[in-house]
Amino acid sequence: MADEAMVDGASIVAQSLKAQGVEYIFGIVGIPVTEVAIACQAEGIKFVGMRNEQAASYAAGCIGYLTGKPAVCLVVSGPGLVHALAGMSNANENGWPLIVIGGSTDADQEGQGGFQEFPQVESTRIFSKFSARPSSIERIPFYIEKAVRYSTYGRPGACYIDLAGNQIRGTVAESAVWQVTPCPPPPKTLADPSSVKTAIQELMRAKRPLVIVGKGAGYSGAEGSIRMFLETCGLPFLPTPMGKGVVADEHELCVSAARSRALLQADVILLLGARLNWILHFGKPPRFRADVKVIQVDLCPEELGNNIRPVTALHGDVDCVVRQFLEELQRLPSGFRFDPKSEWWTSLKQKIEQNKQNSNKLIQDTEIPMNYYTALDRINALLPKDCIIVNEGSNTMDIGRTMLPNTFPRHRLDAGTFGTMGVGVGFALAAALYCRDHQPGKRVVCIEGDSAIGFSGMEMETVVRYKLPIVFVVVNNSGIGHGIDKETWTSMTNEEDPCIASPPFSLSPMVRYDQMMKALGGEGYLAMTPDEITTSLRKCLDDKVKPSLVNVIIRGDAARKQQDFNWLTRSSKL
């Protein structure tokens, strides 16, 4: 009788992930997970070795958003997992699928002060939808399938699987391993038909209707149905930051340039996959009318009625519910189309034109160093319409939302619901990897503030190592939201201790991030003028092989409007 075939825990993990359709793993190897990474590569799963677990977890979460399927962040025990909690919380708050797999102390060493021993399962529970350690090596496939299911069903989110070192190294008979079928895609849910009728009736009665399109609509793949609905009804729409592109920002029905007026004066608002959180000012005065009627469509039932009581709440997949709206409109004898010559449309168009004129004045500012508007206008002029834009920073991101339009869904990645700084380079890396494998030729452009890129700047080495032709643009104002010029910095720090003299928001002036990219193996360019932006960025976009970076120097006091900072330290004298 032949000896029974044996298999180790690492191989079971890899085979289970492959069976569940996992395509990418991001992480940093070490004790005890190196064997897991090797086994995954043997199964054909792509492993991306990162420089920090935070960036790895951000990258894995980004794949979840772009594909609707979880990627894995693989981390070592203790500190490695703690670093990855940042990405877990970001994915959970944004509603993105993510699985974190962490190695941990051997089970027989627990409680004895084992290497990097930490209460990992307990610690991850508040950052995830599901957190567990397999009860045995044989049952690893059961837990991996459950993590995939939890991460994608309902509101998507993060899950954690803990693997003790002796589970990874241990072996069992192949015949004893649980056989688990692949997790099917999450079911698509429809709203109650009576609620659909109520929603359409409320929109038809509205004098000042507004549709708000959130990133949940993008995740749902609802772009086709939403565009048809908006064009059929002639309704003004406003995208949330990552809802940009579900319907093109340059569409005639988009009122982003009149955002404040649209929110403040709308009497009926249809929320499509958007939450009434801080991004939308909680749906309350003074940013909204006190008597505004809200129609809420959301995949998560617990979100319905949060912060404001909706006139009707529709629990369901955004794409499915909007298709229900379209079917209901077809039943109406005369259909429904909002009057394009109404007082509401007239008011919105006037505000749009006024704000465009204000922006144009800033764009035409010829002062050197540049302001944000001049710099971002030159950048936008060269961006491919179908590129994925990663946009992160303080003013860089906020102003970028207005200056960098999106034409396609899921093509803008920023700090999101959790407002996380430091996600940009990880997001860009994941997006570029996804594009290379699934949408060849599509470019990824990562437009970062100089503070933002500092969180994960060494991941540029990872980008070079994996030959991902990302174009980085650093909008460099030498500070966190606000910087100071080189002469002031030199004078200040020569006279006094920089820890006392320099403002808390200041960074070293005019840091050469372009030279950093060159040192890591990419191409780097310094741009001090608008024409230098154009010349440098064109070279970057023409190079489809090497990663590149344009370091754009702007004024330290550049902002949406001039601000007067009054600090209690010596910096108040600036």
Side-chain angles (χ1 to χ4, degrees):
M1 182 177 178
D3 292 336
E4 186 168 6
M6 305 293 286
V7 62
D8 60 39
S11 297
I12 295 173
V13 171
Q15 292 163 11
S16 301
L17 292 173
K18 183 70 173 180
Q20 296 299 330
V22 171
E23 189 174 359
Y24 301 102
I25 298 179
F26 302 84
I28 300 176
V29 297
I31 298 171
V33 298
T34 301
E35 293 85 352
V36 174
I38 294 170
C40 286
Q41 287 183 315
E43 290 293 330
I45 301 174
K46 298 192 176 188
F47 177 80
V48 180
M50 305 284 283
R51 303 300 298 265
N52 184 280
E53 292 90 354
Q54 272 195 357
S57 60
Y58 294 145
C62 178
I63 290 290
Y65 173 64
L66 293 175
T67 68
K69 300 186 298 183
V72 167
C73 176
L74 181 67
V75 299
V76 300
S77 50
L81 174 64
V82 171
H83 291 170
L85 294 179
M88 290 185 70
S89 58
N90 188 69
N92 226 36
E93 291 299 315
N94 277 302
W96 296 352
L98 167 66
I99 296 174
V100 175
I101 296 178
S104 61
T105 304
D106 287 7
D108 60 356
Q109 295 178 357
E110 289 180 348
Q112 300 182 59
F115 176 66
Q116 295 183 331
E117 183 177 355
F118 188 69
Q120 298 186 177
V121 175
E122 297 91 327
S123 298
T124 54
R125 284 195 174 121
I126 61 172
F127 301 98
S128 62
K129 294 180 65 180
F130 171 75
S131 180
R133 175 189 288 183
S135 55
S136 66
I137 299 175
E138 294 90 339
R139 281 169 56 84
I140 286 174
F142 169 82
Y143 285 87
I144 287 178
E145 189 277 341
K146 188 179 285 288
V148 171
R149 186 153 35 93
Y150 267 76
S151 73
T152 55
Y153 280 41
R155 176 186 285 169
C159 294
Y160 175 68
I161 297 175
D162 192 73
L163 296 172
N166 53 341
Q167 286 184 320
I168 294 171
R169 299 187 306 272
T171 59
V172 295
E174 282 188 351
S175 60
V177 177
W178 281 46
Q179 300 301 310
V180 179
T181 57
C183 177
K188 300 287 188 179
T189 53
L190 295 169
D192 175 52
S194 64
S195 297
V196 173
K197 289 183 179 181
T198 300
I200 295 298
Q201 289 168 1
E202 290 291 346
L203 286 170
M204 292 177 68
R205 285 193 289 264
K207 301 296 184 185
R208 297 184 172 192
L210 177 67
V211 179
I212 298 179
V213 181
K215 69 174 177 290
Y219 184 86
S220 171
E223 51 269 20
S225 60
I226 290 177
R227 178 169 180 167
M228 184 180 296
F229 174 72
L230 291 171
E231 292 179 344
T232 298
C233 299
L235 295 171
F237 78 93
L238 176 70
T240 64
M242 285 184 62
K244 285 162 57 67
V246 171
V247 179
D249 288 340
E250 295 170 328
H251 194 285
E252 62 181 2
L253 297 175
C254 182
V255 295
S256 289
R259 182 182 189 273
S260 294
R261 178 171 292 182
L263 293 178
L264 177 60
Q265 297 184 6
D267 61 355
V268 175
I269 292 177
L270 171 60
L271 284 177
L272 297 177
R275 287 180 267 178
L276 289 174
N277 54 21
W278 66 275
I279 293 176
L280 289 174
H281 317 288
F282 313 105
K284 296 180 178 181
R287 294 300 188 104
F288 289 76
R289 287 171 48 151
D291 62 346
V292 65
K293 293 182 177 180
V294 174
I295 302 164
Q296 197 171 8
V297 180
D298 204 281
L299 186 66
C300 177
E302 291 82 3
E303 191 62 39
L304 301 173
N306 191 31
N307 293 331
I308 189 170
R309 189 61 57 197
V311 65
T312 186
L314 298 97
H315 173 225
D317 175 80
V318 175
D319 185 41
C320 291
V321 175
V322 176
R323 291 180 186 278
Q324 287 181 278
F325 288 162
L326 289 166
E327 291 171 1
E328 182 63 23
L329 289 171
Q330 290 177 347
R331 297 188 186 99
L332 299 176
S334 57
F336 164 58
R337 183 166 181 81
F338 188 70
D339 183 4
K341 297 181 180 179
S342 66
E343 174 273 335
W344 182 224
W345 262 120
T346 300
S347 175
L348 290 172
K349 288 178 180 178
Q350 287 174 345
K351 189 63 175 176
I352 288 170
E353 184 59 32
Q354 178 186 335
N355 286 340
K356 282 183 178 178
Q357 289 177 5
N358 292 338
S359 294
N360 285 337
K361 290 178 183 177
L362 291 165
I363 290 169
Q364 292 163 10
D365 180 0
T366 58
E367 186 178 350
I368 301 298
M370 295 171 280
N371 66 35
Y372 282 100
Y373 290 84
T374 302
L376 289 171
D377 180 65
R378 284 300 183 103
I379 293 165
N380 180 61
L382 291 177
L383 294 183
K385 287 287 186 183
D386 67 342
C387 74
I388 291 180
I389 298 173
V390 183
N391 192 201
E392 183 189 16
S394 178
N395 289 323
T396 301
M397 180 175 67
D398 293 340
I399 300 173
R401 288 169 177 162
T402 63
M403 296 297 296
L404 304 170
N406 289 93
T407 304
F408 299 100
R410 299 170 296 280
H411 279 56
R412 178 182 172 85
L413 300 164
D414 67 21
T417 305
F418 208 32
T420 310
M421 288 293 106
V423 296
V425 184
F427 281 3
L429 190 152
L433 187 65
Y434 168 75
C435 289
R436 185 172 72 184
D437 293 341
H438 299 281
Q439 299 184 40
K442 186 181 289 291
R443 302 306 303 269
V444 175
V445 181
C446 183
I447 302 166
E448 301 264 291
D450 53 325
S451 171
I453 202 164
F455 284 83
S456 301
M458 280 305 300
E459 297 299 344
M460 288 191 288
E461 185 275 328
T462 311
V463 171
V464 171
R465 188 172 4 120
Y466 289 102
K467 301 177 182 179
L468 299 171
I470 300 167
V471 177
F472 292 94
V473 180
V474 178
V475 182
N476 187 348
N477 72 342
S478 303
I480 303 173
H482 181 71
I484 55 179
D485 60 70
K486 193 168 186 177
E487 292 73 18
T488 304
W489 169 266
T490 302
S491 172
M492 180 186 304
T493 55
N494 282 346
E495 294 174 9
E496 298 182 32
D497 181 350
C499 296
I500 300 298
S502 62
F505 53 77
S506 61
L507 300 173
S508 298
M510 295 183 62
V511 171
R512 296 296 301 272
Y513 300 101
D514 51 306
Q515 292 182 352
M516 178 179 174
M517 174 58 91
K518 283 185 177 180
L520 294 171
E523 295 292 343
Y525 304 91
L526 179 67
M528 302 286 291
T529 68
D531 287 346
E532 288 175 352
I533 292 177
T534 299
T535 302
S536 301
L537 186 54
R538 186 172 282 126
K539 289 178 181 177
C540 294
L541 291 168
D542 287 344
D543 187 344
K544 297 178 173 58
V545 178
K546 268 190 173 184
S548 54
L549 185 148
V550 182
N551 187 14
V552 177
I553 305 299
I554 66 169
R555 293 197 295 273
D557 62 353
R560 279 171 288 188
K561 59 182 179 180
Q562 188 69 32
Q563 299 182 38
D564 182 20
F565 290 88
N566 183 22
W567 300 96
L568 297 179
T569 63
R570 183 185 181 281
S571 59
S572 64
K573 299 177 183 178
L574 295 182

